[in-house]
């Protein structure tokens, strides 16, 4: 901890603020103490204006003092790239705050409101005099609590669209009737259980009201350890120093998906992560994986990862290994819980993990900032952390037996709704593996193309698609004739310049809507059109989509009475696959420059480029500049 | 023995610095809620928790209300087995 503080101090002196944020990831939040939290939080507050952080406004309404939590929550937010502005409602003032139209709460205009009430304060009779009151009286009290909550939520919803997170109630550790309480119809155990169920029912009548399962959180860490009786009596604070961080973590599970900061993809190393040992050295039979110690550690960890897969998290592999060794494990090891088809993208080679990671992101068409990386090697972790700071690199536990719990505790894979799409996400990626299989099983390439039932939807760019268009110029390397990188603003300028036409292609096939995967930027130079950019995402390469795209643009050129279409090829390390693209499509070479780039021309009237019969082109034009 | 007390004193100063934002050299035995703005009731609560955590001790009930200034905190902590 001291080292991290020193590191932060150093970066602050050097004004390397981005690195400060990065170093926050190294904090072990299980260990960080209260005074360190206060200190780092204060420093972050000071520099936060010079950082580009998303902001979030959170309000707390509680029936007791919640203030000690705030620095912990803010620090967790900073770590997630969020600047939290926090409003804490007056002690026990939640009624006034919610019911009054222009209360400080509404003036604060929060995005998220936490309503944290405890039975100790709102209905103490259910704890202090439980044995003295009759069942009808108990019912009356339950009714009172539930009515209060319903009214509060109702009034709140009338005045605010903010997310409301409402805590459920912590069940007593030592219920009134002792060991038989759990069997009593009117025992505290069943009463609290019912209360919590009823609270959930109420929330279902409202939009964006979420339930914080506080009872679960406290149980996770142990009710006895959760608070210090001395501090509770001294200041009515129902949690100790250690619980504050756990509580902060609990809120992050909500805030991340609310702000869209939850992660989509888990990228895994293999040796030392999915199994013990090194498959390349220890061989199929030598690796640790099975039902006895220590192999069961890894098997259990794989089960935990499989849960994420079924929740809709995309899995990928980034490992330095021989493909054959690994495939042998996947195909022959009886204890592999995870199968090949669970992985949407696989990089098993001896390349550096940074470029593997970039390729995975490209292949899956997701941002690096939605990826989490697990590797048991400190060196690899550091490498990714430095070179690809937007990837979340987990500081994984030293001992593999801790892996499963560590992963389960992560707050990055939460979602606010679990949709049909989430359930199917794994399949979505699996269909891509299936397409590969069809390719292998069909006799001719043309049969394969036909079997895909491809539809290409080609349109002129509109503002809604600009971010994707810019992103593709930045990320596409293989099928990219000129590899010119554009920012969103560049694309917008081109759109409005009047002499550029930006076409994009969306590809839908039998399995899936692949989204926007092709882009062509044409510069209109009177008698000819110049292809400034022509690219195709690598996930739809080798399907003759490029020919369909080109044929469409040629017919457009024809309609505009253009004589020539001119294309350029600028060689890079990665775009060899398209070296002969123009030649293969009947263009003639008109110039070869010193740097190896070539210029090609085709006479529109003489062009023989036709759309392949297995691709249907749909071209309903969107209104240019008119949004979607 | 003496160096141990010095070390303890430094640690408390560090806590004061982290929680209340005061420079280490401005902290003395008379530092108290009357001359430290952030040492209010919430500050005191945080102070108790931070001290217990840093020294891995559990303060006695009466010590929570006896920690009236820096000097008194030192005296109180001398009565504990401190790591």
């Amino acid at each position: 901890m001291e080292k991290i503080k020193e590191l932060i101090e150093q970066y602050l002196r050097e004004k390397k603020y981005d690195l400060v944020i990065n170093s926050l990831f190294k904090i072990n939040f299980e260990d960080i103490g209260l005074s360190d939290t206060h200190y780092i939080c204060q420093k972050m507050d000071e520099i936060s204006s010079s950082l580009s952080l998303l902001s979030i406004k959170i309000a707390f309404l509680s029936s007791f003092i919640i203030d000690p939590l705030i620095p912990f929550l803010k620090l967790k937010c900073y770590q997630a790239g969020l600047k939290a502005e926090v409003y804490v409602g007056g002690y026990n003032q939640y009624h006034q705050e919610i019911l009054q139209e222009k209360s400080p709460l509404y003036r604060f205009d929060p995005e998220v409101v936490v309503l944290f009430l405890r039975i100790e304060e709102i209905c103490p009779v259910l704890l202090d005099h439980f044995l003295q009151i009759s069942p009808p009286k108990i019912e009356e009290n339950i009714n009172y609590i539930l009515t209060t909550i319903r009214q509060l939520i109702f009034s709140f919803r009338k005045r605010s669209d903010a997310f409301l997170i409402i805590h459920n109630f912590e069940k007593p550790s030592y219920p009134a009737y002792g060991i038989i309480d759990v069997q009593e119809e009117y025992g505290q155990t069943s009463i609290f259980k019912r209360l919590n169920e009823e609270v959930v029912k109420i929330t279902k009548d409202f939009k964006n009201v979420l339930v914080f399962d506080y009872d679960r959180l406290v149980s996770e860490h142990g009710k006895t350890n959760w608070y210090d009786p001395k501090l509770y009596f001294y200041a009515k604070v129902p949690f100790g120093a250690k619980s504050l961080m756990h509580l902060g973590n609990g809120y992050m599970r909500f805030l991340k998906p609310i702000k869209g900061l939850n992660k989509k993809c888990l990228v895994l190393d293999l040796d030392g992560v999915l199994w013990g040992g090194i498959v390349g050295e220890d061989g199929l039979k030598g690796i640790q994986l099975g039902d006895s110690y220590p192999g069961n550690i890894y098997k259990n960890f794989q089960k935990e990862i499989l849960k994420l897969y079924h929740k809709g998290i995309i899995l990928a592999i980034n490992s330095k290994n021989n493909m054959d060794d690994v495939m042998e494990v996947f195909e022959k090891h009886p204890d592999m819980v995870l199968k090949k088809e669970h992985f949407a993208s696989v990089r098993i080679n001896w390349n550096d993990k940074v470029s593997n990671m970039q390729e995975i992101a490209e292949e899956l068409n997701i941002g690096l900032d939605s990826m989490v990386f697990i590797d048991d090697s400190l060196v690899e972790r550091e490498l990714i952390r430095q070179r690809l700071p937007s990837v979340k690199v987990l500081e994984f536990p030293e001992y593999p037996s801790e892996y499963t719990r560590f992963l389960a505790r992560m707050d990055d894979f939460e979602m606010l709704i679990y949709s049909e799409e989430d359930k199917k996400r794994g399949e979505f990626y699996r269909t891509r593996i299936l397409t590969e299989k069809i390719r292998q099983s069909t006799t001719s390439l043309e049969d394969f193309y036909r079997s895909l039932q491809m539809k290409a939807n080609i349109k002129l760019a509109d503002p809604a698609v600009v971010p994707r268009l810019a992103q593709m110029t930045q990320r596409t390397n293989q099928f990219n004739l000129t590899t010119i990188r554009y920012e969103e603003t560049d694309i917008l300028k081109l759109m409005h310049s009047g002499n550029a036409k930006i076409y994009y292609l969306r590809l839908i096939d039998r399995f899936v809507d692949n989204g926007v995967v092709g882009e062509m930027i044409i510069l209109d130079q009177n008698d000819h059109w110049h292809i400034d950019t022509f690219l195709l995402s690598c996930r739809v390469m080798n399907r003759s989509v490029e020919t369909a795209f080109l044929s469409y643009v040629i017919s457009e050129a024809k309609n505009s009475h253009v004589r020539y279409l001119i294309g350029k090829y600028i060689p890079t390390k990665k775009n060899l696959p398209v070296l002969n693209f123009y030649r293969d499509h009947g263009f003639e070479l008109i110039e070869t420059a010193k740097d190896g780039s070539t210029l090609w021309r085709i006479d529109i009237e003489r062009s023989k480029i036709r759309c392949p019969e297995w691709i249907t082109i749909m071209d309903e034009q969107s209104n240019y500049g008119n949004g979607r | 023995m003496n160096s141990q007390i010095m070390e303890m004193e430094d640690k408390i100063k560090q806590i004061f610095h982290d929680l209340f934002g005061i420079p280490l050299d401005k902290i003395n035995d008379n530092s108290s809620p009357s001359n430290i703005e952030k040492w209010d009731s919430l500050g005191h609560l945080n102070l108790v928790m931070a001290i217990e955590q840093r020294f891995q001790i559990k303060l006695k009930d009466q010590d929570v209300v006896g920690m009236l200034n820096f000097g008194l905190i030192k005296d109180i902590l001398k009565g504990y087995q401190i790591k």
Side-chain angles (χ1 to χ4, degrees), chain A residues 69-112:
Chain A
L69 162 79
I70 308 308
F72 288 85
L73 180 69
K74 281 173 98 174
L75 186 56
K76 283 298 288 185
C77 281
Y78 280 127
Q79 196 201 26
L82 276 173
K83 175 165 174 54
E85 220 184 300
V86 181
Y87 169 76
V88 179
Y91 171 49
N92 230 346
Q93 297 285 305
Y94 53 93
H95 277 288
Q96 295 86 324
E97 293 276 19
I98 287 179
L99 300 178
Q100 271 171 32
E101 199 149 340
K102 285 191 177 138
S103 68
L105 170 72
Y106 298 121
R107 269 182 277 142
F108 175 69
D109 193 22
E111 294 167 71
V112 180

Coordinates of all heavy atoms in Angstrom, one line a residue, chain A residues 69-112:
Chain A
L69 N -19.1 6.2 4.4 CA -19.0 5.4 3.2 C -18.4 6.2 2.0 O -17.7 5.7 1.2 CB -20.4 4.9 2.8 CG -20.5 4.4 1.4 CD1 -19.9 3.0 1.2 CD2 -21.9 4.4 0.9
I70 N -18.7 7.5 2.0 CA -18.5 8.3 0.8 C -17.1 8.2 0.2 O -17.0 8.0 -1.0 CB -19.0 9.8 1.0 CG1 -20.4 9.8 1.6 CG2 -18.9 10.6 -0.3 CD1 -21.5 9.0 0.8
P71 N -16.0 8.4 1.0 CA -14.7 8.4 0.4 C -14.5 7.0 -0.3 O -13.8 6.9 -1.4 CB -13.8 8.6 1.5 CG -14.5 9.2 2.6 CD -15.9 8.7 2.4
F72 N -14.9 5.9 0.3 CA -14.7 4.6 -0.3 C -15.4 4.5 -1.6 O -14.9 4.0 -2.6 CB -15.3 3.5 0.7 CG -14.4 3.3 1.9 CD1 -14.6 4.1 3.0 CD2 -13.4 2.4 1.9 CE1 -13.8 4.0 4.1 CE2 -12.6 2.2 3.0 CZ -12.8 3.0 4.1
L73 N -16.7 5.0 -1.7 CA -17.4 4.9 -2.9 C -16.8 5.8 -4.0 O -16.7 5.4 -5.1 CB -18.9 5.4 -2.6 CG -19.8 5.3 -3.9 CD1 -20.0 3.9 -4.3 CD2 -21.1 6.1 -3.7
K74 N -16.4 7.0 -3.6 CA -15.7 7.8 -4.6 C -14.5 7.2 -5.1 O -14.2 7.3 -6.3 CB -15.4 9.2 -3.9 CG -16.6 10.1 -3.8 CD -16.3 11.3 -3.0 CE -16.1 12.5 -4.0 NZ -15.9 13.8 -3.2
L75 N -13.7 6.6 -4.3 CA -12.4 6.0 -4.7 C -12.7 4.9 -5.7 O -12.1 4.7 -6.8 CB -11.6 5.5 -3.5 CG -10.2 5.0 -3.9 CD1 -9.4 6.0 -4.6 CD2 -9.5 4.5 -2.6
K76 N -13.7 4.0 -5.4 CA -14.1 3.0 -6.3 C -14.6 3.6 -7.6 O -14.3 3.0 -8.7 CB -15.2 2.1 -5.7 CG -14.8 1.1 -4.6 CD -13.9 0.1 -5.1 CE -14.5 -0.9 -6.0 NZ -13.6 -2.0 -6.4
C77 N -15.3 4.7 -7.6 CA -15.7 5.3 -8.8 C -14.6 5.8 -9.6 O -14.5 5.6 -10.8 CB -16.7 6.5 -8.5 SG -18.3 5.9 -8.1
Y78 N -13.6 6.5 -9.0 CA -12.4 6.9 -9.7 C -11.7 5.8 -10.4 O -11.3 5.9 -11.5 CB -11.4 7.6 -8.7 CG -11.8 9.0 -8.4 CD1 -11.9 9.4 -7.1 CD2 -12.0 10.0 -9.4 CE1 -12.2 10.7 -6.7 CE2 -12.3 11.3 -9.1 CZ -12.4 11.7 -7.8 OH -12.7 13.0 -7.5
Q79 N -11.7 4.7 -9.7 CA -11.0 3.5 -10.3 C -11.7 3.1 -11.6 O -11.1 2.6 -12.5 CB -11.0 2.4 -9.3 CG -10.0 1.3 -9.6 CD -10.3 0.0 -8.9 OE1 -11.4 -0.3 -8.6 NE2 -9.2 -0.8 -8.8
A80 N -13.0 3.2 -11.6 CA -13.8 2.8 -12.7 C -13.9 3.9 -13.8 O -14.6 3.8 -14.8 CB -15.2 2.4 -12.3
G81 N -13.2 5.0 -13.5 CA -13.2 6.1 -14.5 C -14.4 7.1 -14.3 O -14.8 7.7 -15.3
L82 N -15.0 7.1 -13.1 CA -16.1 7.9 -12.9 C -15.8 8.9 -11.8 O -15.2 8.6 -10.8 CB -17.3 7.0 -12.3 CG -18.2 6.3 -13.2 CD1 -19.1 5.3 -12.4 CD2 -19.0 7.2 -14.0
K83 N -16.3 10.2 -12.1 CA -16.2 11.1 -11.0 C -17.6 11.2 -10.3 O -18.6 11.6 -11.0 CB -15.8 12.5 -11.5 CG -15.8 13.6 -10.5 CD -15.1 14.8 -10.8 CE -15.3 15.9 -9.8 NZ -15.0 15.5 -8.4
A84 N -17.6 10.8 -9.1 CA -18.9 10.8 -8.4 C -19.1 12.1 -7.6 O -18.3 12.6 -6.9 CB -18.9 9.6 -7.4
E85 N -20.3 12.7 -7.9 CA -20.7 13.8 -7.1 C -21.8 13.3 -6.2 O -22.7 12.7 -6.7 CB -21.4 14.9 -8.1 CG -21.0 16.3 -7.8 CD -21.8 17.2 -8.7 OE1 -21.6 17.1 -9.9 OE2 -22.6 18.0 -8.2
V86 N -21.6 13.5 -4.9 CA -22.4 12.8 -4.0 C -23.2 13.8 -3.1 O -22.7 14.8 -2.6 CB -21.6 11.8 -3.0 CG1 -22.5 11.1 -2.1 CG2 -20.8 10.8 -3.9
Y87 N -24.5 13.5 -3.0 CA -25.3 14.3 -2.0 C -25.8 13.3 -1.0 O -26.4 12.2 -1.3 CB -26.5 14.9 -2.8 CG -27.5 15.5 -1.8 CD1 -27.3 16.7 -1.2 CD2 -28.7 14.8 -1.5 CE1 -28.2 17.2 -0.3 CE2 -29.7 15.3 -0.7 CZ -29.4 16.5 0.0 OH -30.3 17.0 0.9
V88 N -25.6 13.7 0.3 CA -26.1 12.9 1.4 C -27.3 13.6 2.1 O -27.1 14.7 2.6 CB -25.0 12.5 2.4 CG1 -25.6 11.7 3.6 CG2 -23.9 11.8 1.8
G89 N -28.5 13.0 2.0 CA -29.6 13.6 2.6 C -29.5 13.7 4.1 O -28.7 13.0 4.7
G90 N -30.2 14.7 4.7 CA -30.1 14.8 6.1 C -30.4 13.6 6.9 O -31.2 12.7 6.4
Y91 N -29.8 13.4 8.0 CA -30.0 12.2 8.8 C -31.5 12.0 9.1 O -32.1 12.9 9.7 CB -29.2 12.4 10.1 CG -29.4 11.4 11.2 CD1 -29.4 10.0 10.9 CD2 -29.6 11.8 12.5 CE1 -29.5 9.1 11.9 CE2 -29.8 10.9 13.5 CZ -29.7 9.6 13.3 OH -29.9 8.7 14.2
N92 N -32.0 10.8 8.6 CA -33.4 10.5 8.8 C -34.4 11.5 8.2 O -35.5 11.6 8.6 CB -33.7 10.4 10.4 CG -34.4 9.1 10.7 OD1 -34.9 8.4 9.8 ND2 -34.5 8.8 11.9
Q93 N -33.9 12.2 7.1 CA -34.8 13.2 6.5 C -35.4 12.6 5.2 O -35.8 13.4 4.3 CB -34.0 14.4 6.2 CG -33.4 15.1 7.4 CD -34.5 15.9 8.1 OE1 -35.2 16.7 7.5 NE2 -34.7 15.6 9.4
Y94 N -35.4 11.3 5.0 CA -35.7 10.8 3.7 C -37.2 11.1 3.3 O -37.5 11.3 2.2 CB -35.5 9.3 3.6 CG -36.1 8.5 4.7 CD1 -37.3 7.9 4.6 CD2 -35.4 8.3 5.9 CE1 -37.9 7.1 5.6 CE2 -36.0 7.5 7.0 CZ -37.2 7.0 6.8 OH -37.8 6.3 7.8
H95 N -38.1 11.2 4.3 CA -39.5 11.5 4.0 C -39.6 12.9 3.4 O -40.1 13.1 2.3 CB -40.3 11.5 5.3 CG -40.8 10.2 5.7 ND1 -41.8 9.5 5.0 CD2 -40.4 9.3 6.7 CE1 -42.0 8.4 5.5 NE2 -41.2 8.2 6.6
Q96 N -39.0 13.9 4.1 CA -39.0 15.2 3.6 C -38.4 15.4 2.2 O -38.9 16.1 1.4 CB -38.3 16.2 4.6 CG -39.0 16.3 6.0 CD -38.6 15.2 6.9 OE1 -38.3 14.1 6.5 NE2 -38.5 15.5 8.2
E97 N -37.2 14.7 2.1 CA -36.5 14.8 0.8 C -37.3 14.3 -0.3 O -37.3 14.9 -1.4 CB -35.2 14.0 0.9 CG -34.1 14.5 1.9 CD -33.3 15.6 1.3 OE1 -33.7 16.2 0.3 OE2 -32.2 15.9 1.9
I98 N -38.0 13.2 -0.1 CA -38.7 12.6 -1.2 C -40.1 13.3 -1.5 O -40.5 13.5 -2.6 CB -38.9 11.1 -1.0 CG1 -37.6 10.4 -1.2 CG2 -40.0 10.5 -1.9 CD1 -37.6 8.9 -1.0
L99 N -40.8 13.7 -0.4 CA -42.1 14.2 -0.5 C -42.2 15.6 -0.9 O -43.1 16.0 -1.6 CB -42.9 13.9 0.8 CG -43.0 12.5 1.2 CD1 -43.8 12.3 2.5 CD2 -43.7 11.6 0.1
Q100 N -41.2 16.4 -0.6 CA -41.2 17.8 -0.9 C -40.8 18.1 -2.4 O -39.7 17.6 -2.8 CB -40.3 18.6 0.0 CG -41.0 19.1 1.2 CD -39.9 19.7 2.2 OE1 -39.0 20.3 1.7 NE2 -40.2 19.6 3.5
E101 N -41.5 18.8 -3.1 CA -41.3 19.0 -4.5 C -39.9 19.6 -4.8 O -39.2 19.2 -5.7 CB -42.3 19.9 -5.1 CG -42.4 19.7 -6.6 CD -43.8 19.9 -7.1 OE1 -44.8 19.7 -6.3 OE2 -43.9 20.1 -8.3
K102 N -39.5 20.6 -4.0 CA -38.2 21.3 -4.3 C -37.2 21.0 -3.2 O -36.4 21.9 -2.9 CB -38.5 22.8 -4.5 CG -39.1 23.0 -5.9 CD -39.2 24.4 -6.3 CE -39.8 24.5 -7.7 NZ -40.7 25.6 -7.9
S103 N -37.2 19.8 -2.7 CA -36.2 19.5 -1.7 C -34.8 19.5 -2.2 O -34.6 19.5 -3.4 CB -36.5 18.1 -1.1 OG -36.3 17.1 -2.1
P104 N -33.8 19.6 -1.3 CA -32.4 19.6 -1.8 C -32.1 18.4 -2.7 O -31.3 18.4 -3.6 CB -31.6 19.5 -0.5 CG -32.5 20.0 0.6 CD -33.9 19.7 0.1
L105 N -32.8 17.2 -2.4 CA -32.6 16.0 -3.2 C -32.9 16.3 -4.7 O -32.1 16.0 -5.6 CB -33.5 14.9 -2.7 CG -33.6 13.7 -3.7 CD1 -32.2 12.9 -3.6 CD2 -34.7 12.8 -3.3
Y106 N -34.1 16.9 -5.0 CA -34.5 17.1 -6.4 C -33.6 18.3 -7.0 O -33.4 18.3 -8.2 CB -36.0 17.4 -6.5 CG -36.8 16.2 -6.0 CD1 -37.7 16.3 -4.9 CD2 -36.6 15.0 -6.6 CE1 -38.4 15.3 -4.5 CE2 -37.4 13.9 -6.2 CZ -38.3 14.0 -5.1 OH -39.0 12.9 -4.7
R107 N -33.3 19.2 -6.1 CA -32.4 20.3 -6.7 C -31.1 19.8 -7.1 O -30.4 20.3 -8.0 CB -32.3 21.4 -5.7 CG -33.4 22.5 -5.8 CD -33.3 23.6 -4.9 NE -33.8 23.3 -3.6 CZ -33.3 23.6 -2.4 NH1 -32.2 24.4 -2.4 NH2 -33.9 23.3 -1.3
F108 N -30.6 18.8 -6.4 CA -29.3 18.2 -6.7 C -29.4 17.4 -8.1 O -28.4 17.3 -8.8 CB -28.9 17.2 -5.6 CG -27.7 16.4 -5.9 CD1 -26.4 17.0 -5.9 CD2 -27.8 15.0 -6.1 CE1 -25.3 16.2 -6.1 CE2 -26.6 14.2 -6.3 CZ -25.4 14.9 -6.3
D109 N -30.6 17.0 -8.4 CA -30.8 16.4 -9.7 C -30.0 15.1 -9.9 O -29.2 15.0 -10.9 CB -30.6 17.4 -10.9 CG -31.1 16.9 -12.2 OD1 -32.0 16.0 -12.2 OD2 -30.6 17.3 -13.2
P110 N -30.2 14.1 -9.1 CA -29.3 12.9 -9.1 C -29.7 12.0 -10.3 O -30.8 12.1 -10.8 CB -29.6 12.2 -7.8 CG -31.0 12.6 -7.5 CD -31.2 14.0 -8.0
E111 N -28.7 11.2 -10.7 CA -29.0 10.1 -11.7 C -29.3 8.8 -11.0 O -30.0 8.0 -11.5 CB -27.7 9.8 -12.5 CG -27.3 10.9 -13.4 CD -25.9 10.7 -13.9 OE1 -25.7 9.7 -14.7 OE2 -24.9 11.3 -13.4
V112 N -28.8 8.7 -9.8 CA -29.0 7.5 -9.0 C -29.3 7.9 -7.5 O -28.6 8.8 -7.0 CB -27.8 6.6 -9.0 CG1 -28.0 5.3 -8.2 CG2 -27.4 6.2 -10.4

